[in-house]
Amino acid sequence: MQEIKIQLDDKLIQTFGYSKIEKQIMDFVGKLYLKISAQEMLKGIKDIDLENDEKWQTARELAWKQEGDRYIKFLHE
């Protein structure tokens, strides 16, 4: 793990408080982790061919048989 040191103006810390600034930085780092995860997932999606995946086709057909009536009724209302 790496440590990053940043310098903040004393007035900034006095205005917002150390804890609030630290929380904001940690929230930002959490969003960075989420963004990295999303990018990794998108890379993997490019390799997936759902149109030719038999398991996905079967699951889709079963889901339609199970839930399709709800959507058909909604369209006819």
Side-chain angles (χ1 to χ4, degrees):
M1 184 175 280
Q2 297 279 332
E3 182 178 323
I4 296 176
K5 294 183 181 186
I6 59 172
Q7 292 182 340
L8 300 174
D9 188 88
D10 290 335
K11 187 166 179 122
L12 183 69
I13 294 172
Q14 290 171 354
T15 302
F16 294 103
Y18 182 88
S19 296
K20 187 165 186 163
I21 292 171
E22 183 179 43
K23 183 184 180 315
Q24 290 290 323
I25 292 170
M26 294 307 293
D27 287 347
F28 177 76
V29 170
K31 289 176 185 174
L32 285 176
Y33 277 117
L34 185 61
K35 186 174 183 175
I36 290 168
S37 296
Q39 288 173 346
E40 290 297 317
M41 288 172 44
L42 288 174
K43 285 180 192 175
I45 287 175
K46 292 177 184 176
D47 299 332
I48 297 172
D49 181 13
L50 291 179
E51 292 298 319
N52 294 314
D53 185 307
E54 290 182 28
K55 290 180 181 177
W56 184 81
Q57 291 287 349
T58 301
R60 187 173 126 185
E61 290 171 17
L62 291 172
W64 180 251
K65 286 178 185 176
Q66 181 179 337
E67 303 294 329
D69 291 340
R70 278 208 249 164
Y71 297 102
I72 292 171
K73 288 178 187 176
F74 175 76
L75 291 173
H76 291 292
E77 289 179 357

